[in-house]
Amino acid sequence: MKKFLWISGLLILGLIIGFILINSSGKYEKMYDENTTPKATKLDKINEKSESTGDIKKIPVKIKIIEATQFTAKLKTVGTTFAKDDYILSAKMNGEITYLNADIGTVVKKNDVLAKIDPEMAEANYNQAAANYNLAQKTYSRQKILAEKKLVSTQQLDGAEAQYQIAKAALSLAKINLNNSKVLSPIDGVIAEKFVNLHTFSGIGTPVARVVNIKKIQMEVGVSEQNIVLIKKGNKAFIKISSYPGEVFQGYIVNMGLQADKDNKSFPVTIEFDNIDGKIKGGMIADISILLNTYSEAIVVSFHLLQQTTGGYYLYIVENDKAVRRDVVVANIQDDVARISDGLAVGDHLVIEGHKYINDQVTVTIEK
């Protein structure tokens, strides 16, 4: 009896295991069918339909008839603003700074005195030199009159002339020293930096103040060898600064370098624009678009239509219900469009949809 029960248990266990294996196999096959069978592409569906009907395969495409349009070529770059007129003024003599009018933000006029360095000594030396000069000049004038009357010797006249020339040179030197005792503003502008304090000692060459005029702003950008030949002095440039969203400032190319930078091989180009209200400050980052040229009858296509090989770019057009590959020359690329200088003509039927599914000389059908 026990042997019978033991055999019955084994049979039941075997049936259960077999049932589980059969169900698992079915699920696996279903999963394989769902996950590994590739989905049919648009081109596969076209091929299946053509094979079932026996018709010639026609790939549907959409086209656009090429028309000439105006295109303005631009060079986009980034630059940093700085004042056109920017001067760091330094002391030209040794001494104590006894007068200082150079607080940051102070508005100054051309030739305003910003600092004085021991002016009393310079003024005293100048006054003495001026007195000596006046005396020597009068003495020389009298000696010339007396020499004409033969009342003084030639030697006496020469001595008076020499004293006059010495006094004249001394006065010129004293005048230079007097001028050097003053630090003058070379422009109308604003004090941007102050480097010294009142009653401190300054030596020759010590920076005293920095004066800028921000009524005109400049930027210097680097331009590649390929683009520098397209730029001319006077070309317009449009400037956008993030601090003033929605505003566009118009400037011009005012200078172009003749020598490329030895490190990055770019050519320096200077752009200038008016800043009458002074809202633009030095050191702001600007997005710049330099106008290179305007083409009145250009062929322009969307950049995403271009297909690229190692040899360049190509597009597809439709001729006699067939796709025809056209190798093209791309002259300019900006934003999402490209100007084609060779390879397309006005009136060509450019494929604008379906170009990813066709090859050269395949039969196509044009969809509306």
Side-chain angles (χ1 to χ4, degrees):
M1 183 66 179
K2 290 182 179 179
K3 184 176 182 181
F4 173 76
L5 292 174
W6 183 77
I7 293 172
S8 298
L10 288 176
L11 288 173
I12 292 170
L13 180 62
L15 289 172
I16 292 172
I17 293 172
F19 179 76
I20 292 172
L21 290 175
I22 291 170
N23 284 344
S24 298
S25 175
K27 289 181 180 179
Y28 175 78
E29 289 175 358
K30 185 177 181 181
M31 289 173 61
Y32 177 81
D33 290 340
E34 290 178 350
N35 297 331
T36 62
T37 303
K39 293 183 179 180
T41 65
K42 184 176 181 180
L43 187 57
D44 291 332
K45 292 178 180 178
I46 294 169
N47 291 338
E48 288 174 4
K49 183 177 180 181
S50 300
E51 289 172 0
S52 63
T53 61
D55 296 334
I56 297 175
K57 300 175 184 178
K58 292 184 178 181
I59 301 176
V61 296
K62 289 186 178 181
I63 65 165
K64 174 185 176 182
I65 299 175
I66 295 293
E67 297 178 350
T69 185
Q70 181 172 297
F71 178 84
T72 300
K74 302 174 185 177
L75 173 63
K76 294 191 174 183
T77 185
V78 176
T80 303
T81 61
F82 58 87
K84 176 186 178 182
D85 297 318
D86 189 333
Y87 296 90
I88 293 180
L89 309 177
S90 301
K92 295 181 180 179
M93 63 181 296
N94 299 322
E96 180 188 356
I97 297 175
T98 59
Y99 172 84
L100 188 62
N101 179 33
D103 289 335
I104 294 175
T106 301
V107 177
V108 296
K109 296 292 185 181
K110 184 176 181 179
N111 292 326
D112 277 358
V113 178
L114 305 185
K116 292 181 181 180
I117 304 168
D118 279 344
E120 292 83 2
M121 181 177 293
E123 288 172 1
N125 290 337
Y126 176 78
N127 291 335
Q128 182 178 351
N132 292 338
Y133 170 77
N134 290 333
L135 178 60
Q137 185 182 41
K138 290 177 181 179
T139 300
Y140 178 49
S141 297
R142 285 196 299 267
Q143 292 294 82
K144 283 198 296 183
I145 294 172
L146 293 174
E148 290 174 357
K149 297 179 179 180
K150 307 296 184 182
L151 297 177
V152 295
S153 65
T154 302
Q155 185 178 3
Q156 289 175 306
L157 178 62
D158 291 343
E161 182 181 7
Q163 290 299 317
Y164 166 71
Q165 294 296 339
I166 292 171
K168 184 178 180 180
L171 178 61
S172 296
L173 181 60
K175 186 175 182 180
I176 291 173
N177 288 334
L178 179 61
N179 290 336
N180 286 345
S181 71
K182 301 174 184 178
V183 178
L184 306 179
S185 175
I187 58 170
D188 293 347
V190 179
I191 303 297
E193 290 183 87
K194 182 178 74 171
F195 303 109
V196 296
N197 294 313
L198 189 63
H199 300 304
T200 57
F201 181 85
S202 72
I204 296 175
T206 300
V208 174
R210 179 183 176 194
V211 182
V212 300
N213 182 350
I214 59 173
K215 295 297 179 67
K216 286 190 178 292
I217 294 292
Q218 290 188 340
M219 295 169 292
E220 187 174 288
V221 298
V223 176
S224 68
E225 178 182 346
Q226 291 75 19
N227 287 322
I228 193 66
V229 297
L230 304 175
I231 296 177
K232 296 178 182 178
K233 193 173 181 179
N235 278 19
K236 291 181 180 179
F238 294 98
I239 300 102
K240 294 181 180 180
I241 297 174
S242 60
S243 302
Y244 300 100
E247 292 192 56
V248 179
F249 305 90
Q250 181 175 314
Y252 299 89
I253 304 297
V254 294
N255 193 29
M256 298 166 56
L258 300 178
Q259 178 66 44
D261 184 273
K262 64 179 181 179
D263 295 324
N264 58 30
K265 306 303 180 184
S266 65
F267 289 83
V269 172
T270 304
I271 300 162
E272 181 177 309
F273 65 98
D274 291 332
N275 184 37
I276 302 301
D277 54 7
K279 65 196 304 182
I280 306 302
K281 313 302 181 186
M284 289 183 168
I285 305 300
D287 293 317
I288 307 165
S289 293
I290 301 173
L291 271 59
L292 302 179
N293 204 351
T294 298
Y295 303 88
S296 58
E297 295 187 354
I299 293 177
V300 179
V301 302
S302 295
F303 180 73
H304 79 275
L305 297 178
L306 291 168
Q307 301 190 61
Q308 191 172 14
T309 65
T310 54
Y313 293 98
Y314 67 91
L315 297 161
Y316 284 107
I317 65 169
V318 174
E319 289 182 346
N320 300 321
D321 295 330
K322 289 187 178 294
V324 178
R325 170 174 162 165
R326 284 280 184 88
D327 293 328
V328 295
V329 176
V330 177
N332 305 96
I333 297 175
Q334 59 190 47
D335 299 326
D336 58 348
V337 298
R339 182 176 72 88
I340 307 301
S341 60
D342 191 30
L344 282 183
V346 173
D348 281 344
H349 292 190
L350 176 66
V351 177
I352 59 172
E353 287 188 23
H355 55 289
K356 297 292 186 180
Y357 305 109
I358 58 179
N359 294 311
D360 191 34
Q361 297 302 316
V362 302
T363 303
V364 297
T365 179
I366 297 174
E367 292 185 340
K368 300 298 184 182

